Amino acid sequence: MSSTSSSVLRADQIWIDGKFVKWDEGHMHVMTHALHYGLGVFEGIRAYRTHDGRLAVFRLREHIQRLMDSAHICMLQMPFTIDEIMEACVELLRKQKDLFANGAYLRPIAFMGDGAMGLGAVNPTRVVVTAWDWGAYLGEKGMREGIRAKVSSFTRMHVNVNMVRGKISGQYVNSILAKREAVLGGYDEAILLDISGFVAEASGENIFMVNKKGIIKTPPLSSPILDGITRDTVLKLIRDSGRTVEEVTFTRDALYICNEIFFTGTAAEITPVREVDNRMVGDGKPGPLVQFVQDTYFRVVRGQEPRYADWLTYI
């Protein structure tokens, strides 16, 4: 059994450019272009232990399709097809089935490799898939009780600067700075505004809110936000329940006076927000909508909702 720390399990092998190698042999040259200039794309994907004891990857094809789309946006030529990368993910988990019996986090990444340097260089694309055991990104307590968030002094980049349909490695420096600022200030997460001052998203999650009239809102895809797969999942779950969601812009003070806020993301899953900028959200605990979304989401990923069975790829 291997680990990146005393408490985090990771795979014994890594898939690199079509071959499995030992974790400790997963090296890249220091002159890798992406290390210098940030030209890479990646995904975060979760596999869950289902109610019948099997392991299933959640929305694998959608994630790998987004990886390919991100690469296309960046003009990275992908040497593998969607099906080949999907199979790499499945095979990696198959090889580690005993280690990850309770679930795993997959990280496919594609990036410009070593060769020529400079901004105009075009080198072969390297593709890697790794996996490890990653619990609740914002903490188990945060999942249960809600987290504290801070509106960041850093702004989410304009849509003509930030390629918002791509999950691009270098663009996450903006998120890292916002996250560090929030954590150093004693908060759990940052909320970034767009250049017009409207709420965009958190450092690594999409955001939903419920106002005092019970209207559910989330920023639209015309905002500088990632088209989150968990966001899309939650939109469908809410709408399938007969509720309405408005995809509209809203201001930070709308968050201050709303009844509920929660974040969505593969890593964060469904995380309630109990406080924003030292202002309690609602009554300071997870509300009825986020409780419904959490319960339904985890039933879906654990294979307990047959109508969404096609979202699961069993190992």
Side-chain angles (χ1 to χ4, degrees):
M1 184 178 294
S2 304
S3 64
T4 52
S5 70
S6 60
S7 59
V8 180
L9 299 175
R10 48 82 164 168
D12 293 323
Q13 298 181 59
I14 299 173
W15 186 88
I16 300 179
D17 299 329
K19 298 179 181 178
F20 286 96
V21 302
K22 294 180 180 179
W23 179 282
D24 293 335
E25 296 174 1
H27 304 302
M28 296 293 160
H29 199 280
V30 294
M31 294 303 287
T32 296
H33 191 277
L35 179 62
H36 296 256
Y37 301 115
L39 189 58
V41 300
F42 69 97
E43 281 296 318
I45 311 170
R46 280 195 187 270
Y48 291 88
R49 181 184 176 90
T50 58
H51 70 102
D52 57 3
R54 293 186 288 172
L55 190 67
V57 187
F58 186 61
R59 301 195 71 173
L60 176 59
R61 181 168 292 276
E62 290 91 334
H63 278 285
I64 303 305
Q65 179 64 66
R66 189 173 62 182
L67 180 77
M68 303 296 280
D69 290 345
S70 298
H72 184 67
I73 288 169
C74 293
M75 300 181 76
L76 283 172
Q77 295 297 316
M78 292 293 282
F80 299 96
T81 66
I82 291 176
D83 287 341
E84 287 171 333
I85 299 175
M86 286 179 60
E87 179 56 30
C89 293
V90 169
E91 184 60 21
L92 178 61
L93 292 182
R94 190 177 290 130
K95 287 175 174 289
Q96 307 289 313
K97 199 168 184 179
D98 292 337
L99 184 63
F100 294 133
N102 292 317
Y105 182 90
L106 285 158
R107 171 54 55 84
I109 182 168
F111 53 92
M112 188 178 289
D114 59 295
M117 292 300 286
L119 300 180
V122 180
N123 300 329
T125 302
R126 310 294 302 274
V127 184
V128 176
V129 180
T130 62
W132 66 91
D133 175 37
W134 206 359
Y137 177 65
L138 293 170
E140 295 291 346
K141 184 177 180 181
M143 289 277 286
R144 294 192 308 271
E145 301 177 10
I147 64 168
R148 300 178 67 239
K150 176 189 185 297
V151 174
S152 180
S153 70
F154 293 93
T155 300
R156 187 56 93 211
M157 294 177 284
H158 186 269
V159 294
N160 205 34
V161 176
N162 184 36
M163 297 292 99
V164 296
R165 294 290 81 83
K167 195 171 176 68
I168 300 168
S169 301
Q171 294 182 167
Y172 275 76
V173 172
N174 181 237
S175 291
I176 291 170
L177 294 173
K179 176 77 173 186
R180 287 188 177 179
E181 176 188 61
V183 172
L184 289 171
Y187 302 86
D188 302 300
E189 184 56 290
I191 296 172
L192 290 91
L193 308 180
D194 66 21
I195 63 167
S196 298
F198 294 104
V199 174
E201 59 186 352
S203 71
E205 305 87 24
N206 294 113
I207 185 170
F208 286 75
M209 61 93 88
V210 184
N211 69 14
K212 282 188 164 56
K213 295 181 180 179
I215 300 171
I216 307 165
K217 299 183 180 183
T218 192
L221 294 181
S222 56
S223 297
I225 67 171
L226 186 69
D227 186 1
I229 290 168
T230 309
R231 173 188 182 274
D232 177 73
T233 300
V234 169
L235 283 171
K236 183 163 179 59
L237 296 180
I238 291 174
R239 286 167 175 162
D240 285 354
S241 73
R243 298 171 172 89
T244 300
V245 186
E246 295 184 359
E247 297 181 66
V248 295
T249 56
F250 49 85
T251 57
R252 77 168 79 182
D253 54 359
L255 296 178
Y256 297 161
I257 59 173
C258 72
N259 284 346
E260 293 187 58
I261 302 171
F262 60 93
F263 294 146
T264 65
T266 295
E269 297 166 306
I270 315 298
T271 300
V273 179
R274 73 173 191 273
E275 184 181 303
V276 176
D277 289 348
N278 304 306
R279 296 161 175 86
M280 187 170 68
V281 176
D283 58 7
K285 60 184 180 181
L289 179 69
V290 70
Q291 291 180 58
F292 161 78
V293 173
Q294 278 186 336
D295 179 66
T296 307
Y297 179 81
F298 285 113
R299 285 182 58 81
V300 169
V301 299
R302 290 168 183 152
Q304 294 171 296
E305 294 288 345
R307 68 189 296 190
Y308 305 110
D310 60 346
W311 280 346
L312 299 176
T313 300
Y314 285 91
I315 304 303

